[in-house]
Amino acid sequence: MKLLDVLQSTTAYFEKRGIESARLNAEHLLAHSLGQKRIELYLEFERELSETELAPVRELVRRRGQGEPLQHLLGTVEFCGRTFLIDKRALIPRPETEQLVEFVEIEKPAARILDVGTGSGVIAISLAARFPAAQVNAVDVSEDALDLARENAARIEAGARVQFAISDLLEAVDGRFDLIVANLPYVATTERTNLSREVLHDPEIALFAGDDGESLIRRLIADAPAHLEPGGTLALEIGVGQEGSLSALLQEKNYHGIVTKKDYQGVTRFVFAKHR
Ligand SMILES: C[S@@+](CC[C@H](N)C(=O)[O-])C[C@H]1O[C@@H](n2cnc3c(N)ncnc32)[C@H](O)[C@@H]1O
């Protein structure tokens, strides 16, 4: 079978299975399986693929068709211009979280940064790369996630400046920070039945936070002031429709300069606030 025919029949199969960006998924899986760059496929459309080449492609296509996320099949994800390892130990980083990293500003040159719920470590490592003078700490309650984050830190130069530790939110955290950033779980448990097949491959502990999805973020808002330097910033990614109640809580807990920002889809997805 010619490469182009494989690409076209895979795309048609993915479309039938309701997979978004069917052609792009097909290209990624074929390139990954052949050990090539996606762009290189375009130079080889007429090449006949051998049975040895086709067998692993078929297996990946079958798994993708059953709803396994593309990133799990590739074993990697792109985040803020770097390639990170990803697997079922941690949430697949989402494109909107790249915006959280972009929106973050630090005023002090040698700032101390803490990433809470670091997962695969993408936020902490990307911030370490962006702010070379900063000291970056990252915590998660999941040992599995921390193992993956440490593997990522070992592969990416800036990762050497990130200190990882296990902690239930800020319980095991010492000291104060100029910035506390967090993309914590914010899905309501009642939303479980509305989630896509792909999302259900993310660890439960990375998704759900009580009946309204706000329980963990609320705890962090209450606990963060004891770990923020005067004028320090709390930067949060939040769920759809949570900005009103969380902004009100921030006000109640004496934060100021509360600002919300939208993601690429126009959804209010981030809240920034300062303390004292
Ligand atoms: C939505 S994922 C985000 C992962 C990563 N920061 C990202 O943006 O891709 C939330 C993370 O919070 C962690 N988490 C859940 N409950 C926690 C808790 N009580 N304390 C610390 N981390 C927690 C999960 O293990 C998961 O890695």
Side-chain angles (χ1 to χ4, degrees):
M1 208 172 176
K2 283 188 182 152
L3 194 152
L4 183 58
D5 297 333
V6 176
L7 213 45
Q8 285 172 340
S9 58
T10 303
T11 303
Y13 172 69
F14 284 167
E15 278 167 354
K16 223 169 57 197
R17 303 284 302 174
I19 287 170
E20 274 177 42
S21 311
R23 168 75 184 221
L24 194 62
N25 272 253
E27 289 184 5
H28 274 296
L29 287 179
L30 193 55
H32 174 71
S33 191
L34 297 174
Q36 292 182 319
K37 292 204 168 76
R38 200 159 58 85
I39 198 83
E40 289 169 353
L41 300 179
Y42 285 75
L43 306 173
E44 298 204 338
F45 275 167
E46 294 304 310
R47 183 164 79 79
E48 285 288 335
L49 297 186
S50 68
E51 189 46 40
T52 324
E53 287 174 311
L54 278 173
V57 175
R58 282 197 203 99
E59 175 59 9
L60 289 175
V61 169
R62 185 188 65 75
R63 289 168 62 186
R64 183 71 193 95
Q66 287 178 344
E68 267 190 64
L70 176 68
Q71 296 85 345
H72 282 182
L73 297 173
L74 301 178
T76 55
V77 64
E78 298 298 311
F79 189 90
C80 287
R82 290 180 184 78
T83 304
F84 290 83
L85 301 176
I86 195 69
D87 57 38
K88 58 182 174 20
R89 289 176 289 175
L91 181 112
I92 296 170
R94 307 295 203 261
E96 52 267 29
T97 306
E98 294 178 308
Q99 281 181 283
L100 178 60
V101 172
E102 284 159 23
F103 285 142
V104 159
E105 286 166 20
I106 47 177
E107 281 129 33
K108 293 189 194 167
R112 291 194 64 196
I113 297 174
L114 173 67
D115 174 23
V116 185
T118 194
S120 58
V122 286
I123 296 176
I125 296 168
S126 302
L127 286 174
R130 190 165 153 212
F131 301 110
Q135 176 197 317
V136 185
N137 291 69
V139 293
D140 203 292
V141 78
S142 156
E143 276 287 6
D144 275 353
L146 286 168
D147 285 346
L148 179 61
R150 287 191 179 104
E151 285 170 31
N152 276 319
R155 286 162 45 99
I156 296 169
E157 208 186 325
R161 283 189 297 107
V162 182
Q163 301 270 335
F164 294 96
I166 191 141
S167 178
D168 177 3
L169 296 183
L170 304 179
E171 269 181 23
V173 171
D174 283 330
R176 290 183 180 269
F177 298 84
D178 302 292
L179 169 72
I180 297 179
V181 62
N183 174 22
L184 284 167
Y186 52 65
V187 181
T189 43
T190 48
E191 286 292 311
R192 183 188 299 268
T193 49
N194 301 332
L195 299 177
S196 71
R197 294 182 297 179
E198 281 81 359
V199 172
L200 293 171
H201 284 264
D202 284 318
E204 290 245 332
I205 198 169
L207 294 175
F208 299 108
D211 288 347
D212 61 0
E214 294 182 2
S215 61
L216 283 166
I217 299 178
R218 286 179 163 272
R219 260 178 70 202
L220 180 65
I221 288 173
D223 295 349
H227 291 280
L228 280 171
E229 291 285 1
T233 300
L234 180 62
L236 301 168
E237 180 170 329
I238 62 169
V240 178
Q242 294 175 348
E243 68 273 21
S245 54
L246 294 177
S247 297
L249 180 64
L250 285 161
Q251 236 152 17
E252 190 188 311
K253 299 287 177 193
N254 297 318
Y255 289 80
H256 59 92
I258 301 164
V259 175
T260 59
K261 291 195 191 269
K262 291 185 182 352
D263 66 15
Y264 298 119
Q265 318 290 329
V267 173
T268 301
R269 180 68 70 190
F270 313 104
V271 185
F272 298 84
K274 289 185 183 289
H275 203 265
R276 281 178 296 165

